[in-house]
Amino acid sequence: IDFSVAFDWYRLAMSVYERSGDAAGYSDCCGFIAYMHFMQGDIDGAERSISWGLARDEGENDRIRIAAGNRRLGVIAEMKQDLEDASERFEKAGKIEQQIGDLHSYSRTLNHLARIARIQANFEDAEKYLEESLVIKEELDDQPGLASGYHEMGNLFLNGKRFEEARQSYEEALKIEVALRDIPGIAVTQAQLGLVNRQLLAFDISYESLAIARHLMRKLKSPNIVAVDAIIDDVYSMVSETQLGDIEAEIDSFLRSVLGE
C-alpha cells in the first residue's frame, strides 16, 4: 500500500468536496484518511481525522455519520485506556442508532459497551449488553456478528471464572467461524478454548485447541503466537502418551478441513 500517494488523492478529493459543499464526501474522506493513520499505528492522527469529519457531520446533522464517528472515537479512546470517554462515545452512538433504526450498527455498539463493562469488572451490565446484541444479530441473521458476540460472551464468562459457560460460548463462536472459514477468528477462538479447557482440567482438549491456534497463528504471522507458545508446553506435559496419537490426528483433520490442504 502506497500511503503517501493515497493521502494526496484523498486530500485532493477533500478540497473538491469542500468547494462543492459535499459534507458527506468530505467526512468520508476523513474516515479513509483516519483508517490509513490507524494502519500505520498513528492513533493520534486517526483521532484528528475522525474529529474533523465528525465536526462536519454535526454541522449537517448527519446522524448516520455522527453515530459512526462517535463509535470510531470510542474505539480510539479505549485503545488509549480512557474508558470513561469510550463509554460515553459508544452510548452516544448507540442512542442514535436506535433512533434511526440502524440495528446492524447498534448490535456492534452493544459489543463495544459490553467490552468496556467487562474491563471495568461490571459483569452484569456486560452480559445484558451482549444478550441484547445477540438477539438483534439472530434476527438479522448476522453470522459474523454472532461469532464476535459469542466470542465476547466467552471472554466475559472467562473473566468471571464461569468456565463451563465460557467453553459453550466459544464453541458457538467456533462453529460459525468454521462455517464462514474465518481463519483469524478460528485461531483466536481456539486459543481461548485452550485456556478454558486448561482451567477445566481437560488437558487433552486444551492441547488440541492450542496446537491448532499455534499452527494458524504462524500462518497468519499473528503476534498472539507469543501468548500461545508461553502455555502450550505446560499443557502438553499433562497429556498422556496414549492420547497423543489420537489428538494429533484430530488436529491434522481439523486443519485440513478449514485450510483445504
Side-chain angles (χ1 to χ4, degrees):
I1 300 174
D2 191 336
F3 287 109
S4 60
V5 174
F7 274 125
D8 289 341
W9 281 109
Y10 282 129
R11 289 192 184 103
L12 178 60
M14 285 174 68
S15 67
V16 174
Y17 285 134
E18 190 165 27
R19 289 198 302 273
S20 64
D22 187 340
Y26 182 95
S27 177
D28 289 346
C29 282
C30 288
F32 287 126
I33 290 172
Y35 176 74
M36 289 192 296
H37 280 299
F38 190 86
M39 289 293 290
Q40 295 178 99
D42 181 5
I43 304 303
D44 290 336
E47 184 175 25
R48 284 194 302 272
S49 297
I50 295 169
S51 297
W52 292 336
L54 182 57
R56 186 63 59 96
D57 298 331
E58 289 173 336
E60 297 291 322
N61 195 29
D62 185 340
R63 295 201 292 169
I64 291 176
R65 288 179 173 80
I66 292 171
N70 276 285
R71 189 170 59 254
R72 291 166 184 161
L73 287 174
V75 171
I76 289 174
E78 183 183 347
M79 293 180 69
K80 291 185 169 184
Q81 299 184 348
D82 187 346
L83 300 184
E84 183 177 349
D85 183 44
S87 183
E88 289 176 0
R89 293 287 186 181
F90 292 139
E91 286 173 0
K92 185 172 184 178
K95 184 176 180 180
I96 295 170
E97 288 157 354
Q98 280 186 293
Q99 290 170 347
I100 63 178
D102 184 359
L103 295 180
H104 187 272
S105 296
Y106 178 57
S107 68
R108 280 161 166 70
T109 298
L110 287 168
N111 262 37
H112 289 302
L113 283 166
R115 189 169 59 251
I116 296 297
R118 172 172 61 81
I119 293 169
Q120 295 174 322
N122 189 349
F123 297 142
E124 186 176 346
D125 281 354
E127 190 169 353
K128 288 178 182 176
Y129 287 135
L130 286 173
E131 286 174 347
E132 184 180 359
S133 176
L134 286 169
V135 168
I136 294 170
K137 289 168 180 174
E138 284 281 5
E139 292 174 352
L140 297 175
D141 192 26
D142 178 2
Q143 293 300 305
L146 282 168
S148 67
Y150 281 120
H151 188 99
E152 185 60 31
M153 188 70 87
N155 292 341
L156 173 63
F157 289 144
L158 178 59
N159 282 177
K161 301 186 186 303
R162 295 160 63 180
F163 300 122
E164 186 56 49
E165 291 168 285
R167 176 164 66 179
Q168 292 171 8
S169 294
Y170 287 134
E171 286 175 348
E172 288 295 327
L174 183 63
K175 281 191 285 188
I176 299 170
E177 290 159 352
V178 168
L180 296 173
R181 299 184 71 84
D182 175 7
I183 303 304
I186 291 169
V188 175
T189 299
Q190 286 282 24
Q192 295 300 93
L193 278 167
L195 295 176
V196 168
N197 281 305
R198 182 179 66 164
Q199 293 291 339
L200 292 169
L201 306 182
F203 297 113
D204 54 336
I205 304 173
S206 175
Y207 172 68
E208 181 179 326
S209 293
L210 290 168
I212 290 169
R214 180 167 63 180
H215 183 92
L216 296 177
M217 287 178 180
R218 282 175 176 167
K219 274 187 168 293
L220 296 167
K221 298 180 180 179
S222 168
N224 292 327
I225 189 68
V226 176
V228 173
D229 280 337
I231 61 172
I232 193 169
D233 289 340
D234 288 339
V235 174
Y236 177 83
S237 68
M238 301 297 291
V239 180
S240 68
E241 291 187 13
T242 57
Q243 293 175 302
L244 284 174
D246 290 339
I247 293 172
E248 294 296 342
E250 289 292 332
I251 293 169
D252 184 63
S253 175
F254 182 88
L255 290 171
R256 286 178 182 276
S257 69
V258 299
L259 295 174
E261 294 178 351

